[in-house]
Amino acid sequence: MANSKYEYVKQFEQPDILLPSTWIVVRIDGRGFHKLSDRYGFIKPNDRRALDLMNAAAVEVMKELPDLCIAYGVSDEYSFVFHPSCQLFERRSAKLVTTIVSTFTAHYIYQWGTYFPSTPLQPPYLPSFDGRAVLYPTTRILRDYMSWRQVDCHINNLYNTTFWTMVQQGGMSNTDAERELQGTVSSDKNEILFKRFAINYNNEDEMCRKGSVVYRQYQLEDPKPESKSGHRDEDEAPVDESKTSKSQQDKLRKLRRKAQVVVDHVDIIKDEFWERRPWILSGKPGKLPEA
Amino acid sequence: MANSKYEYVKQFEQPDILLPSTWIVVRIDGRGFHKLSDRYGFIKPNDRRALDLMNAAAVEVMKELPDLCIAYGVSDEYSFVFHPSCQLFERRSAKLVTTIVSTFTAHYIYQWGTYFPSTPLQPPYLPSFDGRAVLYPTTRILRDYMSWRQVDCHINNLYNTTFWTMVQQGGMSNTDAERELQGTVSSDKNEILFKRFAINYNNEDEMCRKGSVVYRQYQLEDPKPESKSGHRDEDEAPVDESKTSKSQQDKLRKLRRKAQVVVDHVDIIKDEFWERRPWILSGKPGKLPEA
Amino acid sequence: MANSKYEYVKQFEQPDILLPSTWIVVRIDGRGFHKLSDRYGFIKPNDRRALDLMNAAAVEVMKELPDLCIAYGVSDEYSFVFHPSCQLFERRSAKLVTTIVSTFTAHYIYQWGTYFPSTPLQPPYLPSFDGRAVLYPTTRILRDYMSWRQVDCHINNLYNTTFWTMVQQGGMSNTDAERELQGTVSSDKNEILFKRFAINYNNEDEMCRKGSVVYRQYQLEDPKPESKSGHRDEDEAPVDESKTSKSQQDKLRKLRRKAQVVVDHVDIIKDEFWERRPWILSGKPGKLPEA
Amino acid sequence: MANSKYEYVKQFEQPDILLPSTWIVVRIDGRGFHKLSDRYGFIKPNDRRALDLMNAAAVEVMKELPDLCIAYGVSDEYSFVFHPSCQLFERRSAKLVTTIVSTFTAHYIYQWGTYFPSTPLQPPYLPSFDGRAVLYPTTRILRDYMSWRQVDCHINNLYNTTFWTMVQQGGMSNTDAERELQGTVSSDKNEILFKRFAINYNNEDEMCRKGSVVYRQYQLEDPKPESKSGHRDEDEAPVDESKTSKSQQDKLRKLRRKAQVVVDHVDIIKDEFWERRPWILSGKPGKLPEA
């Protein structure tokens, strides 16, 4: 029995190949994590176990997909970045996004017990994530995207830290704390924390203040003096690499697999992070650290 | 600190709303399941535990998303169908696809131990799935899509059953069996099974021969005599329902949640299945079975 | 000198094939026709010459592209409809839209002198048109689209007729007429026309009241008694025809070229128009009128 | 009569906004110009009148749309380039493409008589054009696109010049000339022209050898010594300008309208052209030439 009679339905599949030579960011978000964090008793404002579990899952995604350059996570979201030269899955959008979402979910569920040993999952209320791909045409804009997420992390974390301190240590009601914080700027919140609770926000956990950066570790490089932002060659790189052969790409993947994937909590807005780790934006593996 | 300086990067997000009033099929596929089935010792040609696990995960997806009309699974793939009137997530493609992929993955990983009690998962080699959405503009074409998958199931299962019987019971090498089957048609394979191994293919497990259909159970209806294919009203339905209000949609969702989600292994190519379950294609809940 | 070094730039071209088996409507609009109608002294509220020129250009587009089923024009806009089975240019969106826009523009400019013999074009202020494609998945929705345009024609024309009569015959200022008409309904405008100016709106020019329908003329058919709306077979038609071979399509094109393209000013909201001209929605040429 | 009953059909219009901060190239092509050039007796291999008419129409498009940076034409095709910072029509693809196609067609038809005074247009066989938009994410790739078209121009023109010289001056049949040229490289063709017909290809008409570049004329600048390719600042420019306000954009448009649009036949592959005219890639108007 041939299947030809019905095979015409394949014509309805539409291509979704992402524009070549652009940065691909796949951002995933926890679905209904507000409710979920209540159900599983996440600690406010930050549950270290939950963040560690997010990071552990992200590390596995980075290991599974050596084409990824870097990832950045905060709260229940994670952004994964493919280089403009990436040819994985022919740059098909749905394939890239669902592979990341599914791999992340699998490890998140699998490792739940490790991070929440006394809080087992309660089906059918399992954590899950949605995701989407966004294209950024230049390195400058990609870096602005990363900065956007880190600034957002800062804004939210300062607010949440202040709010929950006022409630938990100050004994205020949620409504009162919310009302008082309305319209305040950063310096106001810093002052509330410091004056009322003797908390210096800058001493708070770096993971909460800066979010988590995940990347492959090579030997740090000295920033070149004439370089201003580490993306001078941006123009040429994508073109050259998009023309690399399949075998060269496989070779690059192997090299990347050898590097250790690390989780860092550092500033990614300033140039220094990128200048000392040029392999992230160049897409070319650096030197492995000496043993 | 305002985030306005970087917020322009949001402009790069592009809308992906699927054409209204068309059927949406989200098909997910196991990633690298050939290798995975070796690693975890799946029984050939069909591993009942693996299929039951797929079905269990699909049932949870159907329960989680009452907007789904029906799902059909075979081997390591599953197709989930949204009605033309579906407004879930404003019909955003990535959101619909990733929600299904992630929810499916979560339950697949979570329930692994139930179906494979003596074969624990071996990280980092966790099962994962990719997926994509395809639009079908008419009920006729949607049904042809479903038929396409079921015919595919039949073709593959007949081949696999014959091949593995020749190898496992007939003692042939993989290469020899493959060579002999090259160019054969269905009747040839049926004959090999029957003459050499006294196997009547039609008595094989229905789940393997027909695949698995997942839907909400209401009281079966008598097919109307004048109806030819169960999709007479196709034209009106999508329009009317796409205009249903948010509150009506919520009401429909609640009604659907009350129905039991069942797994069936039946012919979905002929009209009968659809005529007796008109709620699947109409998108309107039927009568709940009497207690 | 080979061109291979630069040819990689072709990879950046992205496919834009429109979903099969859906109606394609290409709507074009005059660019800046408000200003243009002043420059060339169009008569208010309707300039017969300008409408005739639009229709003449539309007829040429219909003749040039036998794949078109029907077109509907009002004011400075025209909608051209391709059948769900249309395979022209592999259904590439930009190709379909630009071909229509360019062909229409060419004839509009070329025939300008015929319709405006005493008002020559004044470069660089030449008329031009923009356009876009929209997909409609069912015949019901396509008909609703056509009804939408004709209702819009009616609403605008009744308003414009009343407004300009009040100004031109009633000696009112534009501002006063506009103010008086604010918030009025159809019956109010009809009454103003009838009571103050003894104008029965229903006797006004049909072209202005109904717009212009352009289609191929075959022998009118008697509506079938059991038929309710002329789109019973909608489901099957697209599928069957999308599978017609290239040679069959060429044959259909030749048949269509033989039919006369006519311009009509009739109701296209009710069923009658469509039932008596079933070839428009079926995509199958009717019988040529007897000589 | 309200139109609300049918207005839902507007939901079917899908957005087609082009990715911000990328170069937009709209390439238009003559439809069926091979046949058309026969019908209107175009001179082979190059009809100066036809090329001049193409250029005249392109100049009008450039004047009409000050957002365009540059255009390049060869034979019956023309590429129009919008800057990454372009916000015209909110970067809607169909709107941009059809506006260019329609404006070009209008002027081509209107000016036909000027360039072909003794060969009037023969309706319904009017010239028309199709078009599409392609995105290029970096200046390097945009320049490679431009180089691709100019190399193509060279390859085709050298072939056509040699072929038609062999036929027209050498008395060969089309078939014989074609056969002899099969597999030849540039130097072979140059030699045929020079040895047999004493033609130095480099002395042929520059418009035919180089194609036509259309841009706004400002004072040429001296290339900066440290600059290598005129696109150093590519990264910053798009971002900055995409954030320019509406009023700033209007101001830029006015400035651009003041510049003269010129047609040139020069090398656009090497850096010099771009370095001396930095306004083309920067999107910032230069200094108007002194009177």
Side-chain angles (χ1 to χ4, degrees):
Chain A
M1 170 157 45
N3 206 347
S4 56
K5 185 182 165 189
Y6 298 122
E7 259 174 358
Y8 80 93
V9 299
K10 285 167 76 174
Q11 295 167 19
F12 290 79
E13 296 177 13
Q14 302 213 283
D16 65 342
I17 289 177
L18 297 168
L19 189 70
S21 295
T22 51
W23 293 95
I24 303 169
V25 174
V26 175
R27 183 167 77 240
I28 72 171
D29 281 279
R31 295 185 58 240
F33 261 51
H34 191 76
K35 237 185 199 171
L36 194 105
S37 65
D38 285 344
R39 170 175 301 278
Y40 292 108
F42 283 16
I43 294 159
K44 309 283 185 187
N46 293 297
D47 189 311
R48 178 101 212 175
R49 303 164 299 173
L51 295 176
D52 283 340
L53 175 51
M54 289 291 290
N55 292 343
V59 165
E60 294 303 324
V61 170
M62 288 289 284
K63 283 185 187 164
E64 172 87 10
L65 299 174
D67 294 76
L68 286 167
C69 300
I70 189 170
Y72 176 76
V74 46
S75 182
D76 63 342
E77 77 165 51
Y78 239 100
S79 299
F80 294 92
V81 181
F82 290 107
H83 197 262
S85 64
C86 167
Q87 299 298 319
L88 185 63
F89 306 143
E90 299 155 310
R91 300 176 71 87
R92 280 179 287 150
S93 180
K95 185 102 176 171
L96 290 166
V97 175
T98 55
T99 295
I100 284 180
V101 164
S102 184
T103 305
F104 191 93
T105 304
H107 287 281
Y108 191 95
I109 298 289
Y110 183 78
Q111 299 196 37
W112 177 273
T114 307
Y115 292 90
F116 290 93
S118 53
T119 317
L121 286 170
Q122 303 159 27
Y125 307 103
L126 301 185
S128 63
F129 299 84
D130 57 39
R132 76 219 59 91
V134 185
L135 296 178
Y136 293 107
T138 67
T139 303
R140 182 70 261 156
I141 305 176
L142 185 265
R143 284 210 32 208
D144 282 350
Y145 172 82
M146 301 300 273
S147 299
W148 178 50
R149 299 323 302 141
Q150 194 165 52
V151 170
D152 219 49
C153 167
H154 170 76
I155 292 172
N156 290 330
N157 191 60
L158 177 56
Y159 181 93
N160 291 337
T161 302
T162 315
F163 175 87
W164 286 106
T165 305
M166 290 162 80
V167 169
Q168 290 167 353
Q169 301 187 27
M172 289 175 77
S173 73
N174 286 15
T175 323
D176 287 347
E178 201 183 328
R179 194 178 302 136
E180 186 175 343
L181 287 174
Q182 219 160 15
T184 58
V185 295
S186 291
S187 54
D188 299 329
K189 300 190 192 76
N190 275 312
E191 204 175 288
I192 290 172
L193 286 171
F194 194 70
K195 293 222 168 134
R196 295 197 208 161
F197 305 101
I199 291 172
N200 184 338
Y201 179 71
N202 291 325
N203 295 339
E204 292 292 291
D205 188 350
E206 287 225 301
M207 179 159 70
C208 305
R209 288 190 295 121
K210 300 259 173 65
S212 299
V213 198
V214 186
Y215 55 92
R216 292 171 223 291
Q217 189 63 289
Y218 300 99
Q219 284 181 40
L220 292 182
E221 297 188 14
D222 293 331
K224 289 172 192 130
E226 76 276 21
S227 163
K228 279 183 309 187
S229 60
H231 54 82
R232 296 143 296 127
D233 299 322
E234 174 266 334
D235 228 16
E236 281 75 28
V239 185
D240 293 337
E241 301 219 1
S242 78
K243 290 186 279 189
T244 53
S245 65
K246 281 255 167 194
S247 63
Q248 280 172 298
Q249 283 178 37
D250 287 346
K251 205 178 142 193
L252 282 172
R253 253 175 226 152
K254 265 183 206 162
L255 276 172
R256 286 184 197 125
R257 280 195 198 282
K258 285 188 184 155
Q260 202 195 341
V261 174
V262 297
V263 181
D264 227 341
H265 314 293
V266 293
D267 182 291
I268 57 170
I269 299 174
K270 299 202 199 83
D271 293 337
E272 196 205 350
F273 172 82
W274 306 95
E275 286 176 351
R276 301 210 63 194
R277 297 162 186 83
W279 61 84
I280 294 177
L281 295 177
S282 73
K284 289 164 197 150
K287 280 187 201 160
L288 288 172
E290 287 163 35
Chain B
M1 169 159 42
N3 205 348
S4 56
K5 185 182 165 190
Y6 299 121
E7 258 174 359
Y8 80 94
V9 299
K10 284 168 77 173
Q11 295 167 18
F12 291 79
E13 296 177 13
Q14 303 214 284
D16 65 343
I17 288 178
L18 296 169
L19 189 69
S21 295
T22 51
W23 293 95
I24 304 169
V25 174
V26 175
R27 184 167 75 240
I28 71 171
D29 282 278
R31 295 185 59 238
F33 261 51
H34 190 75
K35 236 184 198 170
L36 194 104
S37 65
D38 285 344
R39 170 175 302 277
Y40 291 108
F42 284 15
I43 294 159
K44 308 282 185 184
N46 293 296
D47 189 311
R48 178 99 213 177
R49 303 165 298 174
L51 294 176
D52 283 340
L53 176 51
M54 289 290 290
N55 292 343
V59 165
E60 293 303 325
V61 171
M62 288 288 285
K63 283 184 188 164
E64 172 88 9
L65 299 174
D67 294 75
L68 287 167
C69 300
I70 189 170
Y72 176 76
V74 45
S75 182
D76 64 341
E77 77 165 50
Y78 239 101
S79 298
F80 295 91
V81 182
F82 289 107
H83 196 262
S85 64
C86 167
Q87 298 299 319
L88 184 64
F89 306 142
E90 299 156 310
R91 300 176 72 86
R92 280 179 288 150
S93 180
K95 186 101 177 172
L96 290 166
V97 174
T98 55
T99 295
I100 285 180
V101 164
S102 183
T103 305
F104 190 94
T105 304
H107 288 280
Y108 192 96
I109 298 290
Y110 183 76
Q111 299 196 36
W112 175 274
T114 308
Y115 293 89
F116 290 93
S118 54
T119 316
L121 286 170
Q122 302 158 27
Y125 306 103
L126 301 185
S128 64
F129 298 85
D130 57 40
R132 78 220 55 94
V134 186
L135 295 178
Y136 293 106
T138 68
T139 304
R140 182 68 262 158
I141 306 177
L142 186 265
R143 284 210 31 208
D144 283 349
Y145 172 82
M146 301 300 273
S147 299
W148 178 50
R149 299 324 300 140
Q150 194 167 49
V151 169
D152 219 48
C153 167
H154 170 76
I155 292 172
N156 290 331
N157 191 60
L158 177 56
Y159 181 94
N160 291 338
T161 302
T162 315
F163 175 87
W164 286 106
T165 305
M166 290 163 80
V167 169
Q168 291 166 351
Q169 301 188 26
M172 289 175 75
S173 73
N174 286 15
T175 323
D176 287 348
E178 200 184 328
R179 196 178 299 136
E180 185 174 342
L181 287 174
Q182 219 160 15
T184 57
V185 294
S186 291
S187 55
D188 301 329
K189 298 190 194 75
N190 275 311
E191 204 176 287
I192 290 172
L193 285 172
F194 193 69
K195 293 223 167 133
R196 295 197 208 163
F197 305 102
I199 290 172
N200 183 338
Y201 179 71
N202 290 325
N203 295 339
E204 291 292 291
D205 187 351
E206 286 225 301
M207 179 159 72
C208 304
R209 289 190 295 121
K210 300 260 172 65
S212 300
V213 197
V214 186
Y215 55 93
R216 290 169 225 291
Q217 189 63 288
Y218 299 99
Q219 284 182 40
L220 292 183
E221 297 189 13
D222 292 331
K224 289 174 192 126
E226 75 278 22
S227 165
K228 279 183 310 186
S229 60
H231 53 82
R232 295 144 296 129
D233 299 322
E234 173 264 334
D235 228 16
E236 283 75 27
V239 184
D240 293 336
E241 302 218 1
S242 77
K243 290 186 281 189
T244 52
S245 66
K246 281 255 167 194
S247 64
Q248 280 172 296
Q249 283 178 38
D250 286 347
K251 204 179 142 194
L252 283 172
R253 252 174 227 155
K254 265 183 205 162
L255 276 172
R256 287 185 196 123
R257 280 194 199 281
K258 285 187 184 157
Q260 202 195 341
V261 174
V262 297
V263 182
D264 227 342
H265 315 292
V266 294
D267 182 292
I268 56 169
I269 299 175
K270 299 203 200 82
D271 293 338
E272 196 205 350
F273 172 82
W274 306 95
E275 286 175 353
R276 301 210 63 194
R277 297 161 187 84
W279 61 83
I280 294 176
L281 294 177
S282 74
K284 289 163 196 150
K287 280 186 200 160
L288 287 173
E290 288 163 32
Chain C
M1 170 155 46
N3 205 348
S4 57
K5 184 183 166 189
Y6 298 121
E7 258 173 359
Y8 80 94
V9 298
K10 284 167 78 173
Q11 294 167 20
F12 291 79
E13 297 177 10
Q14 302 214 284
D16 65 343
I17 288 178
L18 297 168
L19 189 70
S21 295
T22 50
W23 293 95
I24 303 169
V25 173
V26 175
R27 184 168 74 241
I28 71 171
D29 282 278
R31 296 185 59 238
F33 260 52
H34 191 77
K35 234 185 199 173
L36 195 103
S37 65
D38 285 344
R39 170 176 301 278
Y40 292 108
F42 284 14
I43 294 158
K44 307 284 185 185
N46 293 295
D47 189 309
R48 178 98 213 176
R49 302 164 300 174
L51 295 176
D52 283 340
L53 175 51
M54 289 290 290
N55 292 343
V59 165
E60 293 303 324
V61 170
M62 288 289 284
K63 284 185 187 164
E64 172 87 8
L65 299 175
D67 294 75
L68 286 167
C69 299
I70 189 170
Y72 176 76
V74 44
S75 182
D76 64 340
E77 78 166 48
Y78 239 100
S79 298
F80 295 92
V81 182
F82 289 106
H83 196 262
S85 64
C86 168
Q87 298 301 318
L88 185 64
F89 305 144
E90 299 155 312
R91 299 176 70 85
R92 280 179 287 150
S93 180
K95 186 101 175 172
L96 290 167
V97 175
T98 55
T99 296
I100 284 180
V101 164
S102 183
T103 305
F104 190 93
T105 304
H107 287 280
Y108 191 97
I109 299 289
Y110 183 77
Q111 298 195 36
W112 175 273
T114 306
Y115 292 90
F116 290 93
S118 53
T119 318
L121 287 169
Q122 303 158 27
Y125 306 104
L126 301 185
S128 63
F129 298 84
D130 57 40
R132 81 220 53 96
V134 185
L135 295 178
Y136 293 107
T138 68
T139 303
R140 182 69 261 154
I141 307 176
L142 186 264
R143 282 208 33 207
D144 283 350
Y145 172 82
M146 302 299 274
S147 298
W148 179 50
R149 297 325 301 141
Q150 193 166 50
V151 170
D152 219 50
C153 166
H154 170 76
I155 292 170
N156 290 331
N157 191 60
L158 176 56
Y159 182 93
N160 291 338
T161 302
T162 315
F163 176 88
W164 286 107
T165 305
M166 290 162 81
V167 169
Q168 291 166 351
Q169 300 187 25
M172 289 175 77
S173 74
N174 286 16
T175 322
D176 287 347
E178 201 182 328
R179 195 178 299 137
E180 186 175 345
L181 287 174
Q182 218 159 16
T184 57
V185 295
S186 291
S187 55
D188 300 328
K189 298 190 193 78
N190 275 310
E191 203 175 288
I192 290 173
L193 284 173
F194 193 70
K195 292 222 169 135
R196 294 197 209 163
F197 305 101
I199 291 173
N200 183 339
Y201 179 71
N202 291 325
N203 295 337
E204 291 292 290
D205 187 351
E206 287 225 299
M207 180 159 73
C208 304
R209 289 190 295 121
K210 300 259 172 66
S212 299
V213 197
V214 186
Y215 56 92
R216 289 170 226 291
Q217 188 64 287
Y218 299 101
Q219 284 181 38
L220 293 183
E221 297 188 15
D222 292 330
K224 290 175 193 127
E226 76 277 22
S227 161
K228 280 185 309 190
S229 59
H231 54 82
R232 297 143 295 126
D233 298 322
E234 174 264 334
D235 228 15
E236 282 76 27
V239 184
D240 293 337
E241 302 220 1
S242 77
K243 291 186 279 190
T244 52
S245 65
K246 281 254 167 195
S247 64
Q248 280 171 297
Q249 283 178 37
D250 286 347
K251 204 177 142 193
L252 283 172
R253 251 174 228 154
K254 266 183 204 161
L255 277 172
R256 286 184 196 124
R257 279 195 199 282
K258 284 187 184 157
Q260 202 195 341
V261 173
V262 296
V263 182
D264 228 341
H265 315 293
V266 294
D267 182 291
I268 56 170
I269 300 175
K270 298 203 200 83
D271 293 337
E272 196 205 350
F273 173 81
W274 306 94
E275 286 175 353
R276 301 210 64 194
R277 298 163 186 83
W279 62 83
I280 294 176
L281 295 177
S282 73
K284 290 164 196 151
K287 279 188 200 159
L288 288 174
E290 288 164 34
Chain D
M1 171 157 42
N3 205 347
S4 56
K5 185 183 166 188
Y6 298 121
E7 258 174 358
Y8 80 94
V9 299
K10 283 168 78 173
Q11 295 167 19
F12 291 79
E13 298 177 11
Q14 302 215 283
D16 66 342
I17 289 177
L18 297 168
L19 188 70
S21 295
T22 50
W23 294 95
I24 303 169
V25 174
V26 175
R27 185 167 74 240
I28 71 171
D29 281 278
R31 295 186 59 239
F33 260 51
H34 191 76
K35 234 184 200 173
L36 195 104
S37 66
D38 284 345
R39 170 176 301 279
Y40 292 107
F42 284 16
I43 294 159
K44 310 283 185 184
N46 293 296
D47 189 310
R48 179 99 211 176
R49 301 164 301 173
L51 295 176
D52 283 340
L53 175 51
M54 289 291 289
N55 292 343
V59 165
E60 293 303 325
V61 171
M62 289 288 286
K63 284 186 188 163
E64 173 87 9
L65 300 173
D67 294 76
L68 286 167
C69 298
I70 189 170
Y72 176 76
V74 45
S75 184
D76 63 342
E77 77 166 50
Y78 239 100
S79 299
F80 295 91
V81 182
F82 289 107
H83 196 262
S85 64
C86 168
Q87 298 299 320
L88 185 64
F89 305 143
E90 298 155 311
R91 300 177 71 86
R92 281 179 287 151
S93 180
K95 186 101 175 172
L96 290 166
V97 175
T98 55
T99 295
I100 285 180
V101 164
S102 183
T103 305
F104 191 94
T105 304
H107 287 281
Y108 191 96
I109 299 289
Y110 183 78
Q111 298 195 36
W112 175 274
T114 308
Y115 293 89
F116 289 94
S118 53
T119 317
L121 285 170
Q122 303 158 27
Y125 306 104
L126 301 185
S128 64
F129 299 84
D130 57 39
R132 80 219 54 93
V134 186
L135 296 178
Y136 293 106
T138 67
T139 303
R140 181 69 262 154
I141 306 177
L142 186 265
R143 284 214 25 212
D144 283 350
Y145 171 82
M146 301 301 273
S147 298
W148 178 50
R149 298 325 300 143
Q150 193 165 52
V151 170
D152 220 49
C153 166
H154 171 75
I155 292 171
N156 290 330
N157 192 60
L158 176 56
Y159 181 93
N160 291 338
T161 302
T162 315
F163 175 87
W164 286 106
T165 305
M166 289 163 80
V167 169
Q168 290 167 351
Q169 300 187 27
M172 288 176 78
S173 73
N174 286 15
T175 323
D176 286 348
E178 201 183 328
R179 194 178 300 136
E180 185 174 344
L181 287 174
Q182 219 159 15
T184 58
V185 295
S186 290
S187 55
D188 300 327
K189 297 189 194 77
N190 275 311
E191 203 175 289
I192 290 173
L193 285 172
F194 193 69
K195 292 224 168 134
R196 294 197 210 163
F197 305 101
I199 291 172
N200 184 339
Y201 179 72
N202 291 325
N203 294 338
E204 292 292 290
D205 187 352
E206 286 225 301
M207 179 159 72
C208 304
R209 289 189 295 121
K210 300 258 172 67
S212 299
V213 198
V214 186
Y215 56 92
R216 290 170 226 291
Q217 189 64 287
Y218 298 101
Q219 283 182 40
L220 293 182
E221 296 188 15
D222 292 331
K224 287 167 195 136
E226 77 277 22
S227 160
K228 278 185 310 187
S229 60
H231 54 84
R232 294 144 298 127
D233 298 323
E234 173 264 334
D235 228 15
E236 283 74 29
V239 184
D240 292 338
E241 302 220 1
S242 78
K243 291 186 279 190
T244 52
S245 65
K246 281 256 167 193
S247 64
Q248 280 171 299
Q249 283 178 37
D250 286 347
K251 203 178 142 193
L252 282 172
R253 251 174 228 151
K254 265 183 206 161
L255 277 172
R256 286 185 197 123
R257 280 194 199 282
K258 285 188 184 157
Q260 202 195 342
V261 173
V262 296
V263 182
D264 228 341
H265 315 292
V266 293
D267 182 291
I268 57 170
I269 299 175
K270 299 201 201 85
D271 292 338
E272 197 205 350
F273 172 82
W274 308 94
E275 286 176 353
R276 302 210 63 194
R277 296 162 187 84
W279 61 83
I280 294 176
L281 295 176
S282 73
K284 290 164 197 150
K287 280 187 200 158
L288 287 174
E290 289 163 33

